[in-house]
């Protein structure tokens, strides 16, 4: 597709929010960019990596978010403008460094982009990152669309240099993964005079803490002052609104749409805030003074709402009583993402206006005609996914072992192993690397009567991100479990980004490849390697490792992601078909192992012929199903 | 745009069908034609097998939010019939126009034999009664005829443009394909687009 540097200043280009953030950074003279991939943030660094050769910037996929932030901070310390992007969970990983960096301060502009995922559309939580701004005392900007994402990011570098500290830009899925037309500005080349030159003792440390903390407060005050006249804050509506909506980020469009749909333009005003922490208190007070009803529209937590109430508490003598509506009042949900309909419902309930979203006759007809036809579409492993094959062997090995063993899970595509296409094999999922961390603990419970075999899984990218310390912990403390590394040669979940084991850099150029197998062996771990498509061999190797004498064991289940393979190779490995003479369907006694249990979307139960068949549009030609059919009815021929 | 501003278009289908790509191509072509465009996408975890929906909001005046309110779709472009019905039930209204691929992608429950896919008659009846006008096209068969099922998405864009449902001339979309696709993919995609175009122009 068209790159983010394809167009000149003044042109309009359709950009995804994340691409717009990247373009804004380039217009600010960015020199350094780093991140660990995570939905919905990955395209920021991804689109910068695509243009690295034609610009003078440095871009890397870092091993995790903490290292990404540390690396970018070094660039800032050396006078180079830097950007770091991460999803909400990544902020937790980076926080240890961030909570010292805030006291230390920065030199060249350093922008930390936090992409939240309300409703956890691609996440294990829906954590709101904004309280981190208050916690770390760093200025916070929240764009509403691609244009503002670009403009704010560009300006965030200036703000960062003005106050000599990190500036946070907080996006959400509906901004990061929305596209909109963006009026482009000039691209600016980075300064090429990187140099680390401390001018005073302790400059690049948080020491002496109370003094640096007092400096931090001064920086926040300065940011507040700048925010008072920021062009990213504006008001639309009547002079003295019956109700004032205060909103930020994704909430702004939903509020506009709701006010328009209910015809409330003359009675409801909207204060759109782009600079949400520290609050521009004077500006906000001016607007609060002109109404007595306030509704706050934001995602996910009542962060803005709480800060407004603090301000009202501090200035009660001036503002007098105000009634607040939002998440705390129950008018808007305090979990899950918002949408225009939810805001319309809240607004109509507060102001007693009726709103009909869909004509009742039509709604009834739609329900009658489609209600009975609908099927939910569960997500599951792709056709030909190596994870399905590995978990099939896991299931069989655990059954053969018979001691009540179980699997702790981790973050990646294989998290789907919680569900039917992974045969419900994963029993826990928490944070990156937590599968092995939990296994460390389970594997030490023998003194307390625990006698179940412990298995744990992690992907290759996750292994580098957070598993290595837990694995070393297990070796040192002599824990007892088997780790299965699902090595599919990509960070598949987030869009196939390279990682330290793939032998490619962020730019797609050759890079040193860290050998997972050698690394594990160097820790004194017994390591096996299996091809998950060889079900018998994988099961037997796994069983063998599980029944070993104890300690930490590793099985590397190595097979390229089916989607990556399909991109790289024109041809499938096999042409697969079902011999309908041999397939005996329900009368076979196999309980329809292939369609009912194995659940590959390429295998379909044909109700008419009462046999299994292959959907040639979906089948990826891996041929694994031929090995599970007890009647040898699934035929694979080399394609 | 027949006075509809914003024009609300929903592209719906299943992960892996190229929904996001065609939304992006249509959006870019519309921006080139001078429109304000916003696209809201739901993908992320929706890899192959999950439902994927894109909301396009096209306006002469301004940008709109990334999500279309319930009952407010003007046009639905369906890459998969069951997904078309799902969107129609939630975002449809008596004036909505629908163009949908007729080829099902079975949900897992159907593939494994624990649920039934709706009959063609039921789908056609629902489409006709819930829309101002609905077209069904066997885009996957056209794509397979061209050599790759994945081209069905481009065939469907051809049909949408052929039906005159986007404020976009065929030439403008072809220019977008030329600008956005690598040279070795262009010819086949242009063919797919023109097959879809002819499909609805002929009706």
């Amino acid at each position: 597709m068209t790159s983010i540097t394809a167009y000149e200043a003044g042109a309009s280009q359709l950009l995804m929010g994340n691409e717009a953030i990247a373009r804004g950074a380039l217009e600010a003279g960015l020199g350094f960019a780093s991140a660990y991939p995570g939905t919905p943030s990955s395209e920021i660094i991804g689109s910068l990596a695509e243009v690295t050769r034609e610009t003078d910037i440095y871009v890397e996929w870092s091993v995790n978010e903490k290292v990404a932030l540390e690396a970018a901070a070094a660039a800032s310390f050396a006078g180079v403008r830097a950007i770091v992007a991460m999803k909400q969970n990544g902020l937790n990983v980076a926080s240890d460094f961030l909570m010292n960096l805030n006291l230390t301060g920065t030199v060249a502009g350093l922008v930390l982009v936090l992409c939240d995922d309300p409703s956890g559309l691609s996440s294990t939580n829906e954590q709101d990152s904004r309280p981190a701004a208050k916690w770390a005392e760093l200025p916070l900007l929240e764009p509403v669309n691609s244009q503002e994402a670009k403009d704010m990011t560009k300006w965030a570098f200036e703000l960062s240099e003005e106050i000599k500290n990190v500036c946070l830009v907080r996006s959400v899925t509906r901004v990061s993964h929305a596209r909109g037309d963006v009026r482009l500005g000039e691209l600016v080349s980075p300064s090429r005079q990187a140099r680390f030159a401390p001018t005073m003792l302790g400059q690049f440390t948080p020491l002496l803490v109370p003094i640096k903390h007092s400096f931090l407060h001064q920086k926040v005050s300065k940011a507040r002052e700048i925010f008072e006249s920021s062009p990213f804050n504006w008001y639309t509506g009547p002079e003295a609104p019956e109700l004032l909506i205060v909103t930020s980020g994704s909430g702004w469009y939903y509020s506009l749409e709701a006010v328009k749909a209910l015809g409330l333009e003359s009675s409801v005003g909207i204060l759109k805030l782009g600079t949400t922490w520290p609050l521009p208190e004077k500006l906000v007070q001016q607007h609060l003074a002109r109404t007595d009803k306030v509704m706050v529209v934001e995602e996910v937590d009542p962060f803005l709402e709480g800060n407004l109430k603090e301000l009202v508490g501090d200035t009660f003598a001036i503002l007098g009583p105000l009634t607040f509506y939002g998440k705390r009042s129950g008018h808007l949900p305090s979990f899950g993402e918002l949408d225009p309909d939810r805001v319309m419902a809240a607004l109509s309930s507060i102001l007693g206006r009726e709103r009909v979203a869909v004509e009742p006759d039509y709604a009834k007809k739609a329900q009658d005609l489609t209600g009975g036809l609908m099927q939910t579409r569960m997500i599951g492993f792709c056709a030909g996914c190596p994870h399905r094959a590995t978990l099939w062997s896991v299931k069989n090995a655990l059954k053969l072992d018979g001691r009540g063993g179980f699997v702790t899970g981790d973050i990646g595509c294989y998290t789907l192993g919680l569900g039917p296409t992974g045969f419900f094999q994963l029993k826990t999922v928490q944070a990156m690397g937590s599968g092995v961390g939990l296994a460390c603990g389970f594997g030490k419970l023998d003194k307390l009567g625990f006698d179940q075999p412990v298995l744990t899984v992690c992907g290759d990218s996750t292994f580098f991100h957070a598993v290595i310390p837990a694995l070393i912990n297990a070796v040192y403390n002599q824990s007892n479990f088997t780790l299965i590394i699902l090595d599919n040669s990509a960070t598949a979940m987030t869009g196939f980004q390279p990682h330290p084991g793939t032998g490619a850099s962020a730019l797609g150029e050759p890079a040193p490849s860290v050998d997972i197998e050698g690394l594990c062996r160097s820790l004194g771990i017994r390591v096996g390697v299996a091809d998950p498509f060889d079900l018998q061999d994988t099961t037997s190797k796994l069983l063998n490792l599980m029944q070993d004498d104890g300690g930490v064991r590793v099985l590397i289940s190595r097979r390229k992601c089916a989607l990556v393979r399909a991109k790289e190779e024109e041809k499938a490995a096999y042409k697969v078909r079902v011999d309908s003479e041999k397939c005996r369907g329900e009368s076979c006694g196999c309980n329809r192992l292939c369609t009912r249990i194995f659940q590959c979307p390429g295998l379909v139960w044909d109700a008419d012929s009462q046999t299994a068949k292959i959907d040639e549009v979906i089948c990826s030609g891996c041929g694994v199903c031929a090995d599970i059919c007890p009647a040898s009815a699934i035929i694979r021929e080399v394609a | 745009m027949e006075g509809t501003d914003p024009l609300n278009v929903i592209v719906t289908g299943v992960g892996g069908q190229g929904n996001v790509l065609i939304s992006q191509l249509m959006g870019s072509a519309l921006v080139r034609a001078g429109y304000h465009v916003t696209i809201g996408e739901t993908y992320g975890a929706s890899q192959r097998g999950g439902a994927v929906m894109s909301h396009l909001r096209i306006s002469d005046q301004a940008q709109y939010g990334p999500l279309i309110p319930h009952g407010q779709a003007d046009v639905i472009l369906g890459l998969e019939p069951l997904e078309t019905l799902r969107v129609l039930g939630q975002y449809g209204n008596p004036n909505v126009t629908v163009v949908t691929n007729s080829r099902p992608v079975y949900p897992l429950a159907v593939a494994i034999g624990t649920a039934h896919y709706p009959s063609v008659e039921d789908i056609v009846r629902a489409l006709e009664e819930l829309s101002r006008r609905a077209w069904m096209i066997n885009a996957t068969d056209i794509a397979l005829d061209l050599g790759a099922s994945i081209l069905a998405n481009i065939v469907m864009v051809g049909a949408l443009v052929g039906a005159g449902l986007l404020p976009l001339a065929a030439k403008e979309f072809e220019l977008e394909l030329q600008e956005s696709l690598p040279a070795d993919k262009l010819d086949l995609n242009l063919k797919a687009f023109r097959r879809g175009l002819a499909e609805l122009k002929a009706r």
Side-chain angles (χ1 to χ4, degrees), chain A residues 21 24-25 27-28 81 149-159 185-186 188:
Chain A
I21 288 168
E27 291 180 9
R81 286 188 168 185
K150 178 188 83 66
D151 296 342
M152 267 186 183
T153 305
K154 185 181 174 188
W155 183 69
F157 286 93
E158 285 170 37
L159 177 65
E186 292 286 348
V188 175

Side-chain angles (χ1 to χ4, degrees), chain A residues 55-92:
Chain A
T55 56
D56 285 330
I57 59 170
Y58 171 78
V59 178
E60 75 170 37
W61 286 119
S62 309
V63 74
N64 64 36
E65 293 85 355
K66 178 167 176 277
V67 176
L69 181 59
E70 288 158 345
S76 164
F77 291 170
V80 174
R81 286 188 168 185
I83 196 167
V84 195
M86 57 192 66
K87 69 182 295 172
Q88 77 278 7
N89 310 72
L91 172 65
N92 305 333

Side-chain angles (χ1 to χ4, degrees), chain A residues 179 181 362 377 592 605, chain B residues 39 57 63 83 111-112 130:
Chain A
R179 291 170 202 273
D181 48 298
Y362 185 88
R377 213 176 266 281
R592 291 211 276 108
W605 174 248
Chain B
I39 308 177
R57 315 196 72 184
Q63 287 195 358
E83 292 314 309
I112 67 177
L130 293 173

Side-chain angles (χ1 to χ4, degrees), chain A residues 42-63:
Chain A
S42 311
E43 296 84 2
I44 297 171
I45 298 302
S47 55
L48 286 169
E50 281 173 22
V51 300
T52 304
R53 278 191 203 87
E54 58 187 86
T55 56
D56 285 330
I57 59 170
Y58 171 78
V59 178
E60 75 170 37
W61 286 119
S62 309
V63 74

Side-chain angles (χ1 to χ4, degrees), chain B residues 72-84:
Chain B
Q72 301 292 313
D74 298 306
V75 177
I76 296 171
L77 179 66
L79 301 178
E80 201 282 340
L82 186 68
E83 292 314 309
T84 305

Side-chain angles (χ1 to χ4, degrees), chain A residues 22 26 44 60 72 97 142 197 232 261 350-351 398 408 435 439 443 468 483 552 583 589 601:
Chain A
L26 291 175
I44 297 171
E60 75 170 37
F97 181 66
E142 291 188 68
F232 298 120
I350 294 164
L351 297 177
L398 283 171
T408 62
I468 295 170
L483 163 65
V552 184
C583 176

Side-chain angles (χ1 to χ4, degrees), chain A residues 264-325:
Chain A
L264 295 169
E265 290 96 331
S266 61
S267 55
V268 173
I270 303 177
L271 177 61
K272 177 260 180 213
L273 292 179
T275 69
T276 43
W277 206 87
L279 265 186
E281 293 181 349
K282 287 180 201 144
L283 174 82
V284 172
Q285 270 185 59
Q286 278 167 22
H287 289 283
L288 292 179
R290 292 178 196 155
T291 188
D292 48 21
K293 288 197 189 83
V294 181
M295 172 173 160
V296 189
V297 181
E298 62 186 319
E299 290 182 318
V300 176
D301 296 336
F303 172 73
L304 189 53
E305 184 177 338
N307 294 338
L308 288 171
K309 286 175 177 172
E310 263 179 32
L311 176 63
V312 172
D314 285 344
T315 54
F316 194 76
I318 308 164
L319 287 176
L322 281 168
T323 308
F324 274 85
Y325 302 93

Side-chain angles (χ1 to χ4, degrees), chain A residues 16 122 145 174 178-181 253-254 257 260 341 362 365 374-375 377 421 592 595 599 605 617, chain B residues 24 36-39 41-42 44 49 57 63-64 70 80 83 86 93 103 105 111-112 115-116 129-130:
Chain A
M16 183 195 273
S122 313
N145 60 17
R174 298 297 176 194
R179 291 170 202 273
D181 48 298
Y253 274 126
Y254 305 154
E257 193 120 20
K260 195 173 158 192
D341 294 287
Y362 185 88
K365 201 159 78 170
M374 279 304 132
Q375 303 287 340
R377 213 176 266 281
T421 62
R592 291 211 276 108
T595 50
Q599 295 202 0
W605 174 248
V617 174
Chain B
Q24 199 178 338
H36 291 289
V37 177
T38 307
I39 308 177
E41 288 158 353
T42 302
R57 315 196 72 184
Q63 287 195 358
Y64 280 78
H70 292 163
E80 201 282 340
E83 292 314 309
R86 194 190 309 281
N93 58 71
R103 167 78 172 230
V105 176
I112 67 177
H116 292 287
E129 294 208 18
L130 293 173

